[in-house]
Amino acid sequence: MNLKTVGMISSYRNLDQRGDWLWQQTPHQFGLWGNIKMQALAPQPDFLLMYQYDFPKKPQPQSLIDKLRKKLQKPNVDVSSRLRGVPKERIIYLLREPPLEEVVEKNKHYYQVATKYCGYISGPDDFAPVPDYMPAIWYHNNSFQELNEMPVPEKVAPCSWITSGINRTANHRQRLQFLESLQNHQIKFDLYGRNLPVSAKSRGELGNKWHGMAPYYYNLSIENYAENSWYVSEKLWDALLAWCLPIYYGGSAADKLLPPGSFLRLPSLDEKGIAYIQEVTATPDAWYAAKDAIAEARQIILHKLNLLNWLSEFVTKFS
């Protein structure tokens, strides 16, 4: 088989842009999956993935002081110089962030600029050139084979939530308010994450999300955005791969992608939602009832929704 190399560039600050990016998402060595090999830093790849790449912003009217400052700054990187000679039809642009009100115009700008460089442009919103869900990546350090073949880890605690203290949008602030309400109601769950308020009683940031999920029956998987039928993030994949039953707050994309019963729907981020969490997490009964559905969902995530599988299927169209 003639393997095609896929390179990658991104502006996403939480993404580890190293030579072995995504290698943990395949059972094979060196990032191989089907007809591709994922080599993020390849100097001359056959295909290039622009993953949440932030194109330069629209030029704004500048004052004399702004113009002087610009002259002192380093010039913007020429986008074309980062494309490594890959032809337009083989460049893929995937936007992974949700269409929050505060960033919609920025995302639309990225899509518009991407048409100059990319043959395929997609994102989890209705105004993307190709509206679609985000192919799955996950943030456990375990190997693909470990995740694929492992028995159910020992469950010893009821519920966890891994989140952050980001508050730059109204949706982020709503999530933090819900967190405060949960703790004020003394709902039993373990909280992990970075930059959380001191009042949040967090157990701290984790080096490996597995440690904050695998020992728990349930995980609170609460998206920053739940208003369309496209957006679903790693919050759901990570919980299921750790054999948690997610108590999920998000849009309807999850219903299309995963088997019935593999996650629970949190009805709302209010008193009703708090009561639901309290009732469900009081016993492991719901987890035991969902165990087979969780097993099925894990196989779908690992083998079908996997970003490497998506890239392999995309490359197949050119053969």
Side-chain angles (χ1 to χ4, degrees), residues 175-202:
R175 184 179 61 184
L176 288 173
Q177 289 168 1
F178 185 63
L179 167 60
E180 183 179 6
S181 295
L182 276 176
Q183 294 192 323
N184 287 341
H185 282 76
Q186 298 185 337
I187 304 300
K188 293 182 180 179
F189 69 98
D190 290 339
L191 176 68
Y192 302 91
R194 66 183 187 277
N195 302 325
L196 287 162
V198 175
S199 61
K201 306 168 191 170
S202 166

Side-chain angles (χ1 to χ4, degrees), residues 289-310:
K291 189 176 175 182
D292 289 344
I294 293 171
E296 182 183 355
R298 294 179 78 259
Q299 291 300 301
I300 291 171
I301 295 164
L302 289 167
H303 296 273
K304 182 179 178 182
L305 302 182
N306 191 335
L307 175 55
L308 288 178
N309 183 60
W310 187 96

